[in-house]
Amino acid sequence: MQLEYEAVVIGSGFGGAINACRLSKKWPEKVLVLERGKRYPMGSFPRTPHDMSNNFWNVVRDQQDSPKNSGSKEMFGLFDIRSFEHMDAVVGAGVGGGSLIYANVFLEPPDTIFDERWPDSCKKSDLKPYYTTAKSVLGARPIPDQNAPRREVVRTQLFKEFAKNEDRESELVDINVFFGNDFSNPTDIGVQQKNRYGAVQTSCVYCAECDVGCNTHSKNTTDLNYLFVAENNYKAQIKTMSLVEKIVPLNGAGEEDPAANGEYGFKVIWFDLDNDKQEKSVTTQTVVVSAGTLGTNELLLRCRDVFKTLPNINQNLGQCFSGNGDFLSFVIDGDKPADPNYGPVITQKIDYNLYSNFKSDHAYILEDASFPNFAAWYTEGLKPGVLHLGGLFRTLKALISRFFRGAKTGRIGYAFRELLKNDAAYTTSVLLCMGIDNSAGKMKLDKHGFLNIEWPYKDNQKLYDAIMEMGKRFKNWAKAKAFIPMPNILWPLKSNVTVHALGGCKLADSPETGVTSAHKDSFGQVFGYQGLYVADGALLPTAVGANPVATISALSERVAEGITGIKPDINGEL
């Protein structure tokens, strides 16, 4: 029986891109990547209000709950925002997956994270060479010397001062941002050149737009490294606007057979979103599911429980969900400059009992964060009208004073400065925390057969309380007008937001304790099936506290090694 592909990879984020690259190197022209979103060439990420309003993911599917007359407009944008029980989530859709909207940080968690819930083969020491490999490919490094022209990031220094006030240390973090190919001699801001893999990038322009899609391709997204090499060097095929619906094992005769175990391959069925959701399919020997934690769990749960095509997946599927302790808050209008509209979105971290003096129930890190310039204008517009009168009165006063001095011609730029100065955004700090939640959420299908998450927020309240107390101290230290956590954390919603959904397909030594194999030769393979793998955040047994991209990438490199038998080069050669 002739199968069409050696491997089909579902999703193109970190896990999918890594496996697309590694597998296509072993099987050139025989690897297919299915991505539900679209491509984003340089300069194509939306910025205007009209375009941003359509920059969300909303594919209408039968039987999903939505208010009457809403949710009917189909959108295939970058941001997929989902609401569950006490947990909301933001994920990305597009070629590059979550790498298109992540905050760039490459941070290995401390050894203490890898406790008894992590299999012996997945301890920090075992993963170290895979961390090193991914770090090299993704070009992780701290921000360049801030004494150089235009490279000072004000909030980096602000957070350093706050850390000192807290008797803690602020440390620069490695970020996957392009400052040129020579780490010791950064390329001038805004200058374009090819990266080591041949993709054209721009030396970071410090626009603070990392989280809404980098229009200058200064951010090291997977379409500019792993996927670029897979597609251009090893001729992997990438099909966009392809929403995978079903995975079906085949029997020896090449027929769909839910009783089969994958020995003879699989059929992957998807909807072509460019062609009125026309159903398409291919056959393959190997399937790597890398649809992100939410997408991967939902697909496998639906295959097991709705379509009955993968009945052998065990009941651990969907367990041990974690939001990685994510917590976003704002300190509004302090007396110290923060300038959150300049520089890469995150530059430093402050440790609170995660890396040192570990305390599992309130271990977290505090990172600075930025938001785009256009958001600063928006926040100014949200001010009550009366607050804008001060600027108007200052401007009129300056112009009237000038008139009475007899000056009727000349420069009046200073008057417009009076109108625009003292914007609240410039002295507002964004506090981004992540930490160790209890990783005890449950993903399951709702009555309509789509994903829901039950999150035990009460059991994680000690972590959230510790973070909020720190935020209040920051507010007092900065002499700010307000400390505002994301409002959904407050009563009556009591819901948190994560951009780092993890778990559900837990790595384990046996099917009694997890969903995927932690054994070297079958790493990431779903128990009960041959050739069916998971490679994304769903593999993680627990929260890692640190930004999880590094760990997801390390585990995915290891999945690819188990499939291909080829050890990755630690110097980043692809």
Side-chain angles (χ1 to χ4, degrees), residues 90-273:
V90 182
V91 295
V95 175
S99 77
L100 299 174
I101 62 171
Y102 80 127
N104 313 319
V105 176
F106 192 96
L107 185 59
E108 297 179 23
D111 293 352
T112 49
I113 294 304
F114 300 89
D115 59 19
E116 70 282 353
R117 293 171 291 180
W118 288 73
D120 288 341
S121 62
C122 303
K123 302 302 186 184
K124 179 76 174 285
S125 57
D126 300 290
L127 295 179
K128 190 62 180 176
Y130 305 98
Y131 278 119
T132 302
T133 296
K135 181 178 180 179
S136 181
V137 176
L138 294 170
R141 54 155 298 163
I143 55 172
D145 181 8
Q146 292 200 74
N147 293 317
R150 297 172 58 200
R151 293 201 186 274
E152 181 185 7
V153 181
V154 173
R155 61 188 148 84
T156 307
Q157 182 61 33
L158 178 71
F159 276 69
K160 184 176 181 179
E161 292 171 4
F162 175 67
K164 186 176 181 181
N165 185 73
E166 292 271 281
D167 198 25
R168 298 180 184 274
E169 289 189 8
S170 166
E171 296 180 316
L172 294 179
V173 292
D174 288 327
I175 54 176
N176 303 329
V177 174
F178 188 71
F179 298 101
N181 292 303
D182 185 351
F183 282 15
S184 62
N185 185 27
T187 300
D188 289 343
I189 291 173
V191 174
Q192 290 186 343
Q193 61 184 202
K194 289 185 177 180
N195 66 19
R196 65 186 293 194
Y197 304 112
V200 175
Q201 293 192 250
T202 307
S203 183
C204 181
V205 298
Y206 287 64
C207 66
E209 296 183 359
C210 311
D211 285 345
V212 292
C214 181
N215 269 327
T216 59
H217 279 189
S218 303
K219 179 176 176 174
N220 297 335
T221 49
T222 60
D223 55 321
L224 301 174
N225 36 71
Y226 285 108
L227 288 174
F228 186 88
V229 172
E231 193 170 22
N232 290 279
N233 295 15
Y234 305 128
K235 307 306 176 186
Q237 244 187 302
I238 301 177
K239 287 187 181 293
T240 60
M241 302 295 283
S242 301
L243 180 62
V244 174
E245 177 75 350
K246 197 185 309 182
I247 302 168
V248 189
L250 305 174
N251 60 26
E255 302 164 331
E256 296 182 28
D257 187 354
N261 68 356
E263 178 184 357
Y264 300 104
F266 299 87
K267 177 180 280 189
V268 179
I269 301 167
W270 74 90
F271 294 133
D272 184 347
L273 301 178

Side-chain angles (χ1 to χ4, degrees), residues 274-317:
D274 271 335
N275 290 287
D276 199 29
K277 299 179 188 170
Q278 179 183 343
E279 189 175 288
K280 295 187 176 182
S281 65
V282 294
T283 56
T284 177
Q285 188 64 53
T286 301
V287 178
V288 181
V289 186
S290 301
T293 294
L294 303 185
T296 291
N297 279 277
E298 185 168 46
L299 175 60
L300 295 180
L301 283 165
R302 284 171 59 79
C303 285
R304 186 189 69 184
D305 300 340
V306 176
F307 304 121
K308 314 292 186 183
T309 59
L310 296 174
N312 295 340
I313 301 179
N314 66 53
Q315 293 304 307
N316 291 310
L317 179 63

